[in-house]
Amino acid sequence: MAGVIGALAPNLGVLILARVLLGFGTCGGYPAAMALVRGEADRTGADGPGWVLTALAVANQTVAVVGPLLGGLLIAAGGWRATFALNVPLAVVAVLLGARRLPRPAETAGEETSPRRGRPAVGTSPRRGRPVAELDLPGMGLFAAMLTCLLLFLMNPHPREWYLPVIAAVAAAGFAARELRAATPFIDLRVLGGNAPLLATYARALVAYLVAYAFLFGFTQWTEQGYGLTPFHAGLVQVPLFLLAIGVSIVSGRRKGVRGKLLAGAAGQIVACLAMLTLTGHSPLWALLLVSLLFGLPQGLISLALQNSVYFQADPERIASSAGLLRTFAYIGSMIASSAAGASFGRRADTGGMHHLAWIMLAAGVLYLLLTVFDRTLGRAAATESGAAR
């Protein structure tokens, strides 16, 4: 639906509607994948499916490699509408593969329980033992109001806009109250109750993905407007990042523990941000490729480490909600990154604006490093992962 509506959109409002539908369509994929991995681990008794988690992270990185290149080609060949139209055949293939390969509802719902923990199967309500399908529309509305007001303020912070953070705070309080009482909450805040390690992981995800998405959004925009590359060539500049990220994920996925990966990723982000500050509109093309390559190391380390952290820190009964929250915090980081890019560039992505954005990214990278250095729970997470693997 999103592909068809987006490709045929007559105005910006309909295009935004297509993006909303696209969000609904894609939001369930990653939580469902994590839930299926956990359910299969429970069934087989293998609690440390490291290679499966690595494969999931590599799949995400692979899609990220294809995305910028394919997007540039589609825009050059058929305009931005072609990027929406492509979703139609991809969605059809996904439906056909899912119908053939994914477990059927009868195999995972009802009164079936985990043989190891005696709980309802993954994807069902633990209270009713049946699939949950209700939509928490009030929760969605409050969450949207909170983020919209916050991002509008961050895009142009000024004392005269004081009412925006106030509205965001009120909406946040109402959202928390609603979600804690709702039978089927939009975002299950109860997964956070008493789980300080998981909260710390979400905080790291927000800050780390702020840096990652600020680079993807801002750097790409600057390479086109400030440096003069075409959309296709701007996509090519991103290729070293994702290729290295894939290789790093594969290699680091063989090693247990997350603390070392998170620390190395934090250091990599800081170095890459410093390198970004050296670029100008007259820098050689190899310098742009080098900066992209530098961002690939932390990208591969951090995405895998955060995913594995959630897998071992979350309540197994709520692994899907916990994985969904990881994506939620990552997307909040991406929205803040978008606001930071807008505030830094203004009407045009020039070199001065790119450097301003790089300083914001550097501050976020230092914060991420501090959140990791002073988190003593990471040692326990590593011990849990090693014990599960054995």
Side-chain angles (χ1 to χ4, degrees), residues 305-338:
L306 290 173
Q307 174 185 272
N308 290 6
S309 296
V310 169
Y311 185 86
F312 289 101
Q313 291 170 340
D315 178 356
E317 295 184 3
R318 290 173 170 167
I319 186 64
S321 296
S322 300
L325 273 177
L326 177 64
R327 282 299 174 92
T328 298
F329 278 92
Y331 288 143
I332 292 174
S334 76
M335 287 184 280
I336 296 175
S338 180

Side-chain angles (χ1 to χ4, degrees), residues 192 196-210 306 325-326 329-330 333 364 367-368 371-372 375:
L192 306 177
L198 193 59
L199 277 171
T201 293
Y202 290 149
R204 275 190 294 273
L206 191 154
V207 179
Y209 281 102
L210 189 163
L306 290 173
L325 273 177
L326 177 64
F329 278 92
L367 176 58
Y368 169 72
L371 287 172
T372 305
D375 186 359

